[in-house]
């Protein structure tokens, strides 16, 4: 159901995570610089290609369903106007293009998420962001991935406990409070045990960096990323 | 062995625990995205991420609170399903929700700075009711100001249109979260802070 | 070798947090209270299998956490292999692998291999050396070739063994396990015990902290019993068992001074 890394051997799976991040940034820049029907048509083909290269399909976009109402509603709100002519098609079209552009960004992001394990993302962070910031981000992101399922279960347990004790009759504010207190206390307990364990294992600012290297397949993809950035820059200048 | 131990730059026990807490709070904000409650005054149901942002500011303070939310954004961008509806990816940080998401570290910093009156942490349950409410109202203002500005920018909407799309249906629930957050802090029920 | 000299730890000040943390443990098998460690002098030779036994709140967790500087004593000194812990914290932590309760909360990575590599990465080992250590550590806990397994999919006993492998990858002289059997079912407990037995036989010092001697008494060279932060019993398992029962420590039911190991394992914990 949720969008997540799926092990595989697609082209995107074999690319270096830094390459894939550069392509995403290039894509976003190009999409913001060229929100014209023609520009977006070209980018649609590219976004589809990215998702295809990651062995993904349109069903992966279901993960973004909460964004759809806003993306759909925005052009209608933009077009609506108080008084004659009540609806301005040109305004609505402009926002519709912008909404569609966001959808394309989500498609490309889905391709990255599908094809990139945490280990690679962490390695990309630690090899790109220098010094302590890189260690903080790399270790921190890995821990978020690791502990998210545990905390989700903690909250579910808390919620069921509240319900089992007749919590459904309480006001919403009180139910939220009970669930949040239980979740936060569990998170603190886990964090303090984790902190001690990190210290015992010599948690250092300067660990050996993870393995990561560009392969031949990365170079055309890197060129694509740079090309997209250049296309975006051309529109601005 | 001895040459190697000199080159190891230890994080330090206190910082290691702070980093662990920041990461766990980031995961908690993500886990809160999955918890929905019916909204008594609006058809849009309530998720608790913003409550997590408040609590990060209150319990981790104006430095580690924003750090936790930065980890949240980074992990989400790199594929952890922590954004609304369990979504993930760089797209969320560049799309229609960009303003809201980028406001979280700032809002946690604002809440933390008001509650702790500076960078040194103090017991949040000792902060007065007025301080807590003010901190969270300010945090909410930051989140919605940036969120609506992001919407206007990303979707080429006018200010009124952006407010209509991005704030009207959601704002009433924020009062609920502020009330819940104040209740949590004042009841002194969080043991590990 | 670990040497403690007139060690005293109080919960006030910087050590208070340890007490709080222990007190909130949901297993209720940890140390709480105001007295932590009271004037303890103790030497743990290399290769010794030592059991530190005591009831909840006896100070045993705080005591072992001074071995690698996680808890700093108020008075007294701790040295590891002749060097005071304060002078080289990294050396002390590399020489003493420590595994705590709730292994679920100590594993840092999504995969087994990534987790076991964490310690040697921090020590700055080369990638080739890290790979060697990871496979050796997994071998030592009977999990050869499981590098790519997902942590989330492991059983309780496997998690405990991965946590032990993570400590072993730093190639410590002593392995310290705090209540390693808490929450494990019988087969999982057996698997962890079997690995500790092999490690000890191959020369690693093992320190097990527990309130329940039934599992480990057959392996121990020596048992130290704590009460209110003081060492009140110290000797061979056979000689100490009768005194340990009075400290609130669970001992084998057939209180055989020969300490036949599995003798008392018939009852469920």
């Amino acid at each position: 159901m949720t969008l997540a890394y799926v092990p595989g051997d697609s082209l995107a799976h074999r690319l270096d995570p830094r390459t894939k991040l550069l392509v995403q940034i290039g894509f976003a820049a190009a999409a913001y610089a060229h929100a014209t029907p023609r520009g977006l048509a070209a980018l649609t083909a590219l976004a589809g290609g990215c998702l295809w290269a990651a062995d993904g399909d349109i069903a992966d976009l279901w993960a973004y369903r909460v964004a759809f109402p806003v993306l759909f509603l925005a052009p209608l709100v933009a077009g609506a106007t108080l008084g004659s002519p009540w609806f301005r098609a040109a305004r609505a079209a402009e926002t519709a293009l912008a909404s569609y552009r966001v959808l394309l960004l989500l498609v490309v992001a889905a391709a990255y998420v599908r094809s990139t394990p945490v280990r690679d993302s962490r390695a990309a962070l630690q090899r790109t962001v220098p010094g302590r910031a890189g260690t903080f981000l790399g270790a921190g992101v890995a821990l978020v991935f690791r502990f998210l399922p545990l905390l989700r279960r903690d909250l579910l347990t808390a919620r069921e406990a509240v319900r089992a004790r007749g919590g459904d009759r309480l006001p919403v504010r009180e139910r939220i409070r009970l669930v949040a207190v239980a979740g936060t206390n569990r998170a603190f307990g886990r964090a303090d045990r984790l902190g001690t364990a990190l210290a015992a294992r010599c948690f250092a600012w300067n660990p050996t960096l993870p393995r990561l290297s560009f392969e031949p397949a990365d170079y055309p993809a890197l060129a694509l990323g740079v090309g997209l950035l250049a296309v975006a820059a051309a529109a601005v200048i | 062995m001895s040459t190697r131990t000199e080159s190891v730059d230890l994080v330090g026990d206190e910082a290691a625990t702070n980093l662990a807490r920041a990461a766990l709070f980031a995961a908690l904000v993500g886990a809160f995205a999955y918890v929905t409650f019916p909204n008594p005054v609006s058809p849009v149901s309530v998720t608790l991420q913003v409550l997590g942002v408040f609590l990060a500011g209150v319990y981790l303070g104006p430095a580690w609170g924003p750090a936790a939310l930065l980890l949240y954004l980074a992990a989400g961008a790199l594929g952890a399903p922590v954004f609304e509806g369990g979504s993930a990816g760089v797209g969320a940080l560049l799309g229609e929700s960009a303003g809201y998401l980028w406001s979280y570290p700032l809002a946690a910093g604002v809440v933390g700075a008001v509650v702790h009156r500076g960078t040194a942490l103090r017991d949040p349950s000792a902060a007065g009711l007025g301080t807590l409410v003010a901190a969270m109202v300010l945090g909410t203002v930051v989140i919605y100001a940036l969120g609506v500005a992001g919407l206007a920018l990303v979707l080429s909407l006018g200010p009124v249109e952006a407010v209509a799309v991005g704030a009207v249906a959601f704002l009433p629930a924020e009062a609920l979260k502020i009330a819940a957050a104040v209740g949590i802090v004042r009841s002194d029920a969080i043991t590990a802070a | 070798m670990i040497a403690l000299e007139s060690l005293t730890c109080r919960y006030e000040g910087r050590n208070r947090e340890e007490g709080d943390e222990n007190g909130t443990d949901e297993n209720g098998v940890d140390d709480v209270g105001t007295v932590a460690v009271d004037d303890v002098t103790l030497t743990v030779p290399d290769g010794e299998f030592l059991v530190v036994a005591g009831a909840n709140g006896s100070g045993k967790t705080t005591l072992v956490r001074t071995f690698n500087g996680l808890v700093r004593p108020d008075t007294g000194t701790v040295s590891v292999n002749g060097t005071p812990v304060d002078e080289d914290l990294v050396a002390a932590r590399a020489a003493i692998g420590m595994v705590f309760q709730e292994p679920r909360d100590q594993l840092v990575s999504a995969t087994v291999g990534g987790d076991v590599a964490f310690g040697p990465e921090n020590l700055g080992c080369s990638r080739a050396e890290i790979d060697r250590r990871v496979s050796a550590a997994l071998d030592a806990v009977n999990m050869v070739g499981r590098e790519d397994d997902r942590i989330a999919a492991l059983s309780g006993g496997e998690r405990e063994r991965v946590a032990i492998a993570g400590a072993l990858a730093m190639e410590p002289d002593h392995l310290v396990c705090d209540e390693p059997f808490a929450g494990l079912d019988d087969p999982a407990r057996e698997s962890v015990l079997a690995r500790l037995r092999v490690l000890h036989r191959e020369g690693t010092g093992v320190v097990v902290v527990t309130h329940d001697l039934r599992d480990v008494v057959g392996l121990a060279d020596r048992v130290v019993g704590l009460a209110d932060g003081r060492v009140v019993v110290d000797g061979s398992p056979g000689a100490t068992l009768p005194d340990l029962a009075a400290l609130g420590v669970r001992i084998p039911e057939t209180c055989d001074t020969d300490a036949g190991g599995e003798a008392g394992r018939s009852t469920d914990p």
Side-chain angles (χ1 to χ4, degrees):
Chain A
M1 266 299 270
T2 55
L3 179 64
Y5 168 66
V6 183
D9 192 36
S10 72
L11 171 64
H13 281 83
R14 278 174 278 132
L15 289 176
D16 188 289
R18 292 167 292 182
T19 307
K20 289 182 269 188
L21 288 170
L22 181 72
V23 170
Q24 286 195 82
I25 292 163
F27 189 96
Y32 274 99
H34 294 276
T36 59
R38 265 183 62 196
L40 291 180
L43 289 170
T44 302
L46 184 56
C50 288
L51 193 56
W52 173 79
D55 261 351
D57 59 49
I58 204 80
D60 289 323
L61 294 184
W62 184 240
Y64 296 112
R65 63 198 169 278
V66 290
F68 296 160
V70 170
L71 295 180
F72 180 75
L73 199 65
L76 301 181
V77 173
T81 172
L82 289 177
S84 175
W86 300 103
F87 195 82
R88 294 165 303 172
R91 273 289 286 129
E94 187 192 345
T95 295
L97 284 177
S99 272
Y100 184 68
R101 169 177 68 195
V102 169
L103 196 65
L104 292 182
L105 296 179
L106 298 179
V107 172
V108 178
Y112 178 91
V113 173
R114 265 194 75 87
S115 66
T116 316
V118 203
R119 188 182 54 233
D120 280 14
S121 292
R122 179 186 180 183
L125 277 176
Q126 283 187 279
R127 285 196 165 266
T128 312
V129 182
R132 294 187 168 193
T135 305
F136 167 74
L137 284 172
V141 162
L143 292 173
V144 175
F145 273 89
R146 161 98 188 88
F147 281 91
L148 177 66
L150 298 184
L151 295 189
R152 279 185 65 187
R153 207 161 49 217
D154 288 347
L155 289 178
L156 217 63
T157 311
R159 209 172 176 176
E160 275 160 14
V162 169
R163 199 171 289 155
R165 281 181 242 148
D168 284 351
R169 288 190 299 273
L170 293 172
V172 175
R173 175 179 55 81
E174 190 58 16
R175 270 188 281 162
I176 292 177
R177 190 183 74 79
L178 288 172
V179 171
V181 163
T184 309
N185 275 328
R186 292 300 299 260
F188 266 124
R190 291 182 187 283
D192 290 351
R193 284 192 289 272
L194 172 65
T196 305
L198 290 174
R201 292 169 80 183
C202 293
F203 188 27
W205 289 119
N206 57 344
T208 310
L209 290 177
R211 280 197 190 92
L212 208 56
S213 61
F214 292 112
E215 302 295 327
D218 282 303
Y219 295 105
L222 282 171
L224 172 67
V226 173
L228 286 166
L229 284 174
V231 167
V236 176
I237 296 163
Chain B
M1 190 71 116
S2 56
T3 53
R4 206 175 56 211
T5 60
E6 280 159 31
S7 66
V8 174
D9 181 11
L10 282 184
V11 167
D13 296 2
E14 200 180 320
T17 293
N18 279 328
L19 191 150
R21 288 180 168 195
L24 268 285
F25 249 89
L28 185 67
V29 175
F32 274 159
Y34 294 84
V35 185
T36 55
F37 284 94
N39 186 340
V41 290
S42 156
V44 185
S45 62
V46 185
T47 68
L48 299 186
Q49 283 129 301
V50 171
L51 179 64
V53 174
F54 293 159
L55 294 179
V58 169
Y59 288 112
L60 301 183
W64 285 101
L69 272 304
L70 277 179
L71 286 181
Y72 168 79
L73 297 184
L78 295 171
V82 293
F83 296 145
E84 209 175 0
S87 62
V90 174
L93 294 185
L94 302 169
E96 91 294 339
S97 57
Y100 298 96
L101 291 175
W102 287 107
S103 77
Y104 286 174
L106 196 62
V110 166
V111 171
V114 173
V115 169
H116 296 281
R117 306 242 166 97
T119 48
L121 295 199
R122 56 175 193 159
D123 180 7
S125 61
L129 178 66
T131 306
L132 286 174
V133 173
M136 293 183 214
V137 168
L138 215 54
T140 309
V141 168
V142 168
I143 291 170
Y144 278 85
L146 289 181
V148 167
L151 266 180
L153 220 61
V154 170
L155 296 179
S156 333
L157 294 172
V160 178
E161 294 160 353
V163 169
V165 172
V168 171
F170 306 100
L171 260 177
E174 300 310 325
L176 208 62
K177 290 177 214 170
I178 292 175
V182 169
I184 291 166
V185 180
R186 307 254 314 160
S187 68
D188 207 11
I190 303 296
T191 52
Chain C
M1 190 179 78
I2 307 164
L4 313 182
E5 183 72 40
S6 316
L7 204 69
T8 297
C9 306
R10 295 182 196 92
Y11 276 132
E12 290 84 37
R14 61 184 180 276
N15 289 335
R16 192 188 63 85
E17 216 172 320
E18 295 292 335
D20 280 356
E21 178 196 335
N22 295 341
T24 57
D25 197 283
E26 70 263 26
N27 288 335
V29 286
D30 216 330
D31 298 354
V32 284
T34 48
V35 183
V37 172
D38 190 2
D39 194 23
V40 169
T41 297
L42 184 72
T43 303
V44 186
D46 283 348
E48 181 173 79
F49 197 124
L50 171 69
V51 173
V52 177
N56 296 342
S58 58
K60 54 193 191 300
T61 291
T62 307
L63 178 71
V64 297
R65 286 185 182 195
T66 63
F67 292 0
N68 63 353
L70 289 173
V71 172
R72 308 292 168 88
D74 291 279
T75 57
T77 58
V78 185
S79 59
V80 174
N81 297 330
T83 308
V85 167
D86 288 341
E87 277 177 27
D88 195 342
L89 208 50
V90 177
R93 287 179 182 180
I96 296 170
M98 206 169 275
V99 179
F100 308 92
Q101 297 183 53
E102 293 282 320
R104 205 192 290 270
D105 292 341
Q106 298 163 45
L107 302 177
V108 297
S109 187
T111 61
V112 169
D115 191 82
V116 177
F118 182 72
E121 280 173 359
N122 286 324
L123 295 177
C125 300
S126 70
R127 273 289 145 194
E129 169 72 3
I130 291 170
D131 289 346
R132 186 191 66 73
R133 287 181 176 217
V134 169
S135 65
L138 286 178
D139 188 16
V141 297
N142 204 16
M143 290 184 74
V144 180
R146 304 275 299 271
E147 277 90 344
D148 291 331
D149 283 19
R150 299 189 57 74
I151 296 281
L154 300 179
S155 70
E158 286 170 330
R159 271 198 300 270
E160 182 75 37
R161 285 186 282 147
V162 172
I164 291 173
L168 292 177
M170 300 205 294
E171 304 198 330
D173 302 320
H174 303 265
L175 174 70
V176 179
C177 299
D178 194 347
E179 299 280 1
F181 310 110
L184 297 187
D185 60 13
D186 280 352
R189 202 157 43 205
E190 288 299 339
S191 71
V192 173
L193 268 175
R195 299 336 292 177
L196 293 181
R197 184 183 293 124
V198 172
L199 279 169
H200 177 225
R201 193 190 301 142
E202 289 172 355
T204 305
V206 178
V207 179
V208 170
V209 177
T210 186
H211 71 294
D212 183 348
L213 275 175
R214 292 174 301 171
D215 290 307
V216 287
V217 77
L219 298 178
D221 297 320
R222 175 183 171 201
V223 181
V224 165
L226 288 185
D228 296 331
R230 289 174 166 272
V231 174
V232 291
V233 180
D234 186 349
S236 72
T240 53
L241 273 186
D243 296 329
L244 288 165
L247 300 181
V249 176
R250 299 188 75 161
I251 61 169
E253 274 175 8
T254 48
C255 193
D256 218 342
T257 45
D258 188 35
E262 323 302 306
R265 302 259 356 279
S266 53
T267 36
D268 281 331

